Amino acid sequence: MIFLMSFRRFGLACGIIALTLLSPGHASPRRPLLDDLPRLVLWAWERPEDLRHLHPGVGVAFLAQTVAISGGQFTVHPRLQPLRVQAATPLMAVTRIETGSSVPGVLSADAIDEIALLIARTATLPRVRGVQIDFDAASSERGFYRALIHQARRRLNPAAPLSITALASWCLGGDWLEGLPIDEAVPMLFRMGPVNAPFQRLATSPSSASSTCRGAVGTSLDEPLAAGVRGGRVYVFNAKPWTQTTLLQAYHLVQ
Amino acid sequence: MKSDLLRANRWFSAAVVAGAMVAGGFTAWLLACGPFSDSFETFVTFEPAHRADFGRGQLSVVSPQYARRYLVQAYRVFSGQPPLPNAALTTSELHADGTTDAPLQEWTAACRRVLGDADLGFDPFRRLPEYQQFWNCTDDGFRTALRTLEARVRQFGASSAEVRGWTGAQVAVFRNCSEEMLVLPEPAAPSAHPIIRADREYQTAAAYFYAMQYEEAGRRFRAIAEDRSSPWRPYGRYLAARANIRLATVAAENRPASRSFADAEADLHATLDDPEASPLHRPAQALLDFIAVRVRPVERVHALSKILSTSATVSNQQLIDYRVLLDRLVDDDQARNRPALTEGDDLTDWVLAMQQGAGDFPHIEQRWEASHSIPWLVAALWHLPAGHPAGGSIVDAARSVEKTSAAFPTIAFLLVRNLSAGARRNDARALLATLPAKAAPGFLPDAVNLLNAERAMLARTLDELLTSAPRTIVQRQTIDRQGLPPDGRDYNQPALGEDAAVVFTSRLPLDRLVDAVRSDVLPARLRLRVAAAAFVRAVVLERDESARQAARILRELAPALQTDLERYLTAAGADDRHRAAVYLLARTPGLRADVPGGEDERSYEAAEPARKLDYVFHVNWWCGSEITRFPDTAWMEWLYPQRVVPYPEFLSNAERAAVDREVTALVGIGPARAYLAAEAIKWAKAKPDDLNAAETLARIVDGWRRSCADAEPPRWELSREAFQTLHRLFPQSEWAKRTRYWYK
């Protein structure tokens, strides 16, 4: 009997560990609004964009602001260009974080909370369904980024999806995304250089990525990947303003 | 009953344990993966690799693919002007304007000292429709407010009613930075001190300005400009100009922008003519430049071009404006605006001609003939078509350029290239012999790398090829922050030039490859790379004697392979040796049939061929296509425009035929995994008691999905057959137990 009890306890412990390890994002509740976002989302970056003629089933993730962190302080640069979209176009507001060569680890908890608040505020812009953070965090910046993501999650409406862009290596080469309260990590499979080209296999073979990275992928029009075959959401970057021709190219990527 | 319960619980627990193990294994797999790999460059075509030297005028070899500000620097220095240190800045350094929140924070603190913890609630950015904002209240506004507050405190005292009233009014003014509705300060009492009344007029005009009511703001600022008694009079026309500029750029009103800009220019010229407004002359001129960029862009390009090519110093803004204007005005094919931009503007003409390429040679030739200037000589050399009748005179002119010229490294590199392309290879060699083979004054490491690539191209002996094959790493390019200079570490191990690697891979017969590694001319780490390829190639081509020769050298260079190589070298006969070689290959995924050129983070750190599978990049053994691939290295096309590296001159016809046969055979063999699987199956069937065969089969099955294959079809049936052979012939072996699946 004693053997039975201890075996039960051991089994229970193992079960808890297994469920913890296998659950994507460690118990981050899935937000239905993320599922509402379309399969194809275009990034609208730091330039005037007129996307009023977009197909109905296409979304736009627009750069809403850039937070530049340097020397323990941060400055905010909001979007300075117009974005023209139809009323029905689903939108995602992107906050880009830039750190230059400084280490943001010296930012105070209050400053991190202020940045989190700025991110959360973009969710209140008209027709915005979710927010995305774009930060190519170096290894030394991950502690700060982790704290920021947790704080942004707290500041956001619980129903609002939180997406982050991800270096492809985060999706293959480490566990640091695990446990983050995010709904989606988008591996950006462009501007990688020939050395890192092998990471592009994530585009067609999402099963090789960590669970958080399997739902979406980021590609670009000038380095297109056959991302459509993998299923899931495809974000497309264009280095130039969107035109009718480039929109058709983007649609083609998910066909 | 109790026994059933016990059994059920054991099953449940066992299942949970299995689940935990799967999860743990998955986590371990994740943790086993590595980071991105940075690439290490020996020449960078889009920016100067030696940035600090470039800023001091040491230009090295100027690439026609450089960003425009670097070409501006080259034009200046080629023309005998002093270099511009800021032309060498990175893009982010160039755009850094030193803006911080400091003036805003200082104003907030000063305000609170006067008013206590009053809610100042405002944001310097104001929202516009369509998700757009603009920087409405800039640092200058806060600085002016701070200066004025300090002056009024000095005049009236910190706790005076005048100071409190002034500060409260200014708080109201700044509310308009972000408030949608106009907030006006309380009017000053008629009995108030004249300066306070003048302040209030100014504050009220400013409130209209920040509330985007620009026409009213402009009218009020012009009225201030007419008021000789107001201390703000010199600011009046300047601020009226700013209101007009905002009207043209921010407000969605029906007034034509050109009219607003014209009015603004009139106000700014009036400011420049006003000696009392001298502190505003510099910003007024900057605003005139701002308007010129928008209203007369081509004219502004010419004005900037003159400044950039002749002034002793230029501002970062001028460099930025020139870049932005050309980006806007010039299409990728340069058809639009080209005549207007280049007429009478030598710098712009030269920059666009350098970037345009060989298609622009008739124009370049004409400009060279007309000017005989160094910049146009460089452009002519870069884009001279092979066999062009003007080639002789251009080359002669190039040969007369002094060695002390900043253009000499570029010209020397291009001369050698053009002489060799024009079948004057001996002349090219003679010139190369006078040029440094190691970094020297004027010749920075990246320039020497290019010269050594030319030496490799013109090599008359194997020794010459081996001597010129190693190169110096000049830049580490990271995945997320491209183009950083080396990160403080000394990357002083030699890299193998991509061009030389092509020769080793597909232009030397096996015998010459063995000769190359028997020589000690190559540095040890590069010699090891060539020795490994020579061994692999000899094994695959079943050239027993060559394989043994290469193995002996490899044994010295790669201690980690020593035991396996010893087994190979002491094997009883050719068949056993071949099996030992297959075994070694299976145990060493870092062995390849090609010689990889260039360096990246992984290859740089690897002292010996990897003995474990690469689970991240899946770079294990070879794919097949590397044997005949021309590298995607931009500068390679400068020397091999047809994307074909020819046979070295020192090879006989018989040797060239041998290379062809070997390369054809290697390509026919295809990817390593298929070759190794087939060999291992054959071996296992011939020696079903040999456990090394079991290990080889197991390693190939495991490595199948971790390695690449360019050949079609993928031949996955070999993976299945290797798996089945392992389990059929060695069912009790440790290797069979470890190998539970096969993979497509």
Side-chain angles (χ1 to χ4, degrees), chain A residues 3-4 7-8 11 14-15 78-80 83-84 91 99 126 169 172-173 192 195-196 198-199 201 208 240, chain B residues 6 9-10 13 16-17 26 29 31 33-34 36-37 39 125 127 130-133 332 479 481 616-618:
Chain A
F3 167 75
L4 183 63
F7 203 63
R8 270 181 181 167
C14 289
R79 182 180 184 83
L80 303 178
L83 169 74
R84 298 191 174 96
L91 297 178
T99 54
S169 62
L172 284 170
M192 305 170 84
V195 176
N196 296 294
F199 281 114
R201 71 178 182 274
S208 56
K240 294 182 174 176
Chain B
L6 184 64
N9 272 292
R10 279 181 178 167
S13 302
V16 170
V17 170
F26 180 68
W29 175 83
L31 292 170
C33 298
F36 274 108
S37 193
S39 66
F125 288 92
R127 285 193 191 285
E130 296 168 333
Y131 304 92
Q132 188 181 6
Q133 296 188 43
D332 287 345
I479 180 62
R481 294 184 186 143
V616 177
F617 293 90
H618 290 194

Side-chain angles (χ1 to χ4, degrees), chain B residues 22 217 254 314 353 535 549 652:
Chain B
V22 168
N254 290 328
V314 304
F535 173 72
Q549 287 178 3
S652 67

Side-chain angles (χ1 to χ4, degrees), chain B residues 33-357:
Chain B
C33 298
F36 274 108
S37 193
D38 298 345
S39 66
F40 294 178
E41 305 297 328
T42 58
F43 189 88
V44 185
T45 53
F46 57 89
E47 64 179 10
H50 308 285
R51 198 176 281 280
D53 298 291
F54 193 80
R56 290 191 290 267
Q58 284 199 58
L59 304 182
S60 194
V61 172
V62 172
S63 161
Q65 290 148 21
Y66 272 175
R68 289 186 181 124
R69 65 177 177 281
Y70 306 130
L71 290 177
V72 166
Q73 173 84 321
Y75 178 90
R76 276 179 67 99
V77 177
F78 287 168
S79 307
Q81 293 289 332
L84 299 170
N86 50 346
L89 296 176
T90 63
T91 304
S92 55
E93 287 167 344
L94 193 67
H95 284 258
D97 57 4
T99 303
T100 65
D101 280 346
L104 168 59
Q105 286 164 1
E106 285 167 22
W107 160 251
T108 306
C111 225
R112 290 205 164 121
R113 281 197 295 276
V114 175
L115 299 178
D117 274 344
D119 177 20
L120 308 177
F122 68 94
D123 184 337
F125 288 92
R126 187 178 176 97
R127 285 193 191 285
L128 296 172
E130 296 168 333
Y131 304 92
Q132 188 181 6
Q133 296 188 43
F134 79 104
W135 194 10
N136 193 11
C137 295
T138 56
D139 288 353
D140 271 353
F142 298 115
R143 287 198 193 99
T144 304
L146 272 167
R147 275 199 310 273
T148 311
L149 176 58
E150 285 163 11
R152 302 301 172 258
V153 166
R154 277 197 303 276
Q155 186 171 355
F156 299 105
S159 54
S160 64
E162 284 84 353
V163 165
R164 289 185 64 82
W166 183 92
T167 310
Q170 193 60 36
V171 168
V173 171
F174 283 141
R175 279 193 189 281
N176 293 288
C177 299
S178 50
E179 292 264 335
E180 282 192 23
M181 302 297 289
L182 172 69
V183 181
L184 287 176
E186 290 288 325
S191 57
H193 190 282
I195 203 168
I196 293 295
R197 279 189 279 127
D199 282 350
R200 200 58 43 87
E201 290 300 320
Y202 179 86
Q203 287 173 314
T204 305
Y208 279 105
F209 178 87
Y210 290 133
M212 292 180 65
Q213 297 193 19
Y214 296 120
E215 289 189 280
E216 178 62 19
R219 194 185 63 72
R220 287 173 178 267
F221 281 131
R222 274 196 203 88
I224 290 170
E226 297 298 318
D227 181 0
R228 305 294 309 178
S229 67
S230 171
W232 299 106
R233 191 203 61 76
Y235 288 79
R237 296 297 294 271
Y238 173 77
L239 289 167
R242 284 191 57 195
N244 266 313
I245 291 171
R246 290 269 176 108
L247 198 56
T249 55
V250 181
E253 294 184 21
N254 290 328
R255 196 170 193 256
S258 57
R259 199 175 127 205
S260 300
F261 278 135
D263 289 349
E265 283 185 309
D267 286 324
L268 290 167
H269 283 300
T271 307
L272 290 175
D273 291 341
D274 179 1
E276 288 180 38
S278 59
L280 297 170
H281 285 179
R282 205 169 150 191
Q285 184 56 54
L287 287 180
L288 280 169
D289 294 345
F290 174 90
I291 294 170
V293 164
R294 278 150 187 82
V295 176
R296 295 174 294 278
V298 173
E299 210 176 288
R300 185 63 189 151
V301 165
H302 296 321
L304 285 166
S305 174
K306 192 172 177 190
I307 294 165
L308 294 176
S309 50
T310 57
S311 294
T313 58
V314 304
S315 68
N316 289 2
Q317 190 61 53
Q318 286 164 334
L319 284 164
I320 292 167
D321 285 353
Y322 187 70
R323 177 185 69 77
V324 168
L325 279 170
L326 286 188
D327 284 352
R328 281 186 191 162
L329 294 169
V330 180
D331 280 337
D332 287 345
D333 64 2
Q334 296 196 4
R336 193 164 54 102
N337 298 320
R338 175 101 189 250
L341 283 168
T342 56
E343 192 180 349
D345 185 340
D346 199 53
L347 168 62
T348 306
D349 194 5
W350 184 78
V351 166
L352 296 183
M354 278 287 276
Q355 294 186 321
Q356 177 76 347

